[in-house]
Amino acid sequence: MEPTIEYLKSKFDSALVAAFGQDLVGIDPMIVPTTNPKFGDYQCNLAMSLAKKLNDQPRVIATQIIDNLNITDYFYPPKIAGPGFINLSLRPEYIESCLQTIIKDEQLNISLTKNPQRVVIDFSSPNIAKEMHVGHLRSTIIGDSLARVLEFQGHHVLRLNHVGDWGTQFGILISYLREAFPEALKTANVLEIGDLVAFYKQSKKRFDEDKDFQKKSRQEVVNLQTGVEDSRYAWQLLCNQSRREFQVIYDLLDIKLNERGESFYNSMLPGIVEELKKLGLLEENDGAQCVFLPGFTNKEGESLPLIVQKSDGGYNYATTDLAALVHRIEKEEATRLIYVTDAGQANHFSQVWQVAKKAGWIPENVEIVNVFFGLVLGEDGKKLKTRSGETVRLRELLDEAINKSRNDLKKRLKEEKRLESEEFIENVAQVVGLSAVKYADLSQNRNSNYVFSFDKMLALQGNTAPYLLYAYVRVQGIARKGKINFEKLRKDAKIILQDEPELVLGKHLLQLNEVLNIVAVELLPNRLCEYLYQLSEKFNKFFENCPVLKSEEPLYTSRLLLCDVTARTLKLGLSLLGISVLERM
Ligand code: ARG
């Protein structure tokens, strides 16, 4: 079943050609869902913009469009409003029949994409020997959810973890550890990530102060790059240490990723610089190889170069990104490259893309998208930090979410005089706590900063994970209470949308397909959150106003099925956000 909006678009296309001739083939009919039910369900805004072209009044044009429009099976006769809006209202019979089709389908009749793409999503990407911070958490949660949506639609998605596992910092760290803690370079598991981070800070300090140490560190970088065995081994150990720590977070959050760190591209870097040189794009500046780009200047207005090779021969973050870009396009044959990073990296990427464009490395059929996001703020409105001003450790943050959710739950159980097993409490606390963190992040427009508040994200009311999970639980409760076997009911579903709240809910249930298409294009998970939140609200309204178990047939079955399909829609939608549902909570 195609989304209603697609159906409308194709009907309007035909109507436009029938009314005004071939000139209008391929014009966007400008159909959008209405924001106010007063104007129906969809509206077409095209007539106003055609006025000039057709040299006629919008209302006249709108009438001509309607005269050639054949949508009576699905819609009531269109109405013209204001200067020339065409308002369209769905017929309940159409909604009922769509719902029946949706209910009978395992996948809720969501259509797969017509052109499956190879998509690379570069997300999470923390740095070895440094702590994974809330910025990486955002990247992880947003990237995972986008991957889930695109995979669900039938795209081939490669999830890449572009870990910062290469560069001069390793030379510094290794030479420091050779003095301070040689054991760590020979034996696995003797370091905690916390220690590693501390050592890294100390080594950096040492490097800035001590000339002799600088020399040793530089030699260590060379050793590492040329593959001297014990340096490579030490580096491997350090990477494994961090990796294990990251994996704890990924397991907790149910994140699947393929690690392909910066080191992977190491051997390709000389080729990249060579190629840029051949293309005549390089200029030497203070011994460094640079590309000068228009539009990038410092405060004094002098143009700023992008350095692709430093004067000591080493390569940069940007060089690696150029190599990664070429690899993803040529070897992975990806036609959509998505990078999920904080907005602070906008400059870096815009320079890299410009160089790649100049070099002719981005074919026309390839789309490169930066999925940027804002900062995570504390309740004081400043960048989230611990009380003592340190970076918040993710493990602790997630544990705290689970602890708070456990406390809330225990309090509620006591109030409701419910006795539950330890196992139940642990499971609910974990699912609710982690879902709350994920949902709080995803439900914000990612471009803005957001305030991290445990109280808000764990609240049972409002646009929160617990609120949505609760709507799902409500339906499972009905099934238990009425001893309902939904699967059986689905077989010959007959839906009747009698009262206003059920009609409103029914309409909303038809829109998941459209919403997913929007998320896939705009890469904004908050659109899906908003949809699911409204779904829960509409469901609750329906549930409070329309008796279900106490109604008579045929309403009884119809309403039960509405509950069921709402729950299934919630479950599917939440799963695409990386959130699992609970049967009871
Ligand atoms: N490691 C980087 C950081 O922590 C993020 C990498 C993003 N991906 C990329 N291809 N540059 O900021």
Side-chain angles (χ1 to χ4, degrees), residues 199-248:
F199 279 127
Y200 177 68
K201 283 184 190 149
Q202 288 159 17
S203 69
K204 194 85 181 39
K205 189 158 172 268
R206 181 76 191 280
F207 184 81
D208 293 335
E209 288 164 358
D210 181 342
K211 277 250 150 60
D212 203 41
F213 183 75
Q214 284 177 11
K215 226 165 115 193
K216 276 194 206 152
S217 303
R218 292 221 174 84
Q219 185 53 44
E220 199 62 70
V221 178
V222 175
N223 291 354
L224 194 57
Q225 282 179 346
T226 50
V228 172
E229 207 170 311
D230 81 315
S231 297
R232 277 286 163 106
Y233 185 73
W235 169 73
Q236 271 303 345
L237 283 188
L238 299 178
C239 289
N240 285 340
Q241 194 69 39
S242 285
R243 220 169 256 147
R244 251 198 316 280
E245 226 17 70
F246 299 155
Q247 197 55 44
V248 174

Side-chain angles (χ1 to χ4, degrees), residues 122-127 133 136 162-164 262 317 321 324 328 339-342 345 348-349:
D122 176 321
F123 70 104
S124 192
S125 310
N127 302 314
H133 54 68
H136 297 120
H162 192 83
V163 174
E262 293 178 17
Y317 184 50
D321 261 325
R328 289 164 190 187
Y339 293 76
V340 189
T341 69
D342 65 281
Q345 302 206 25
H348 158 75
F349 282 111

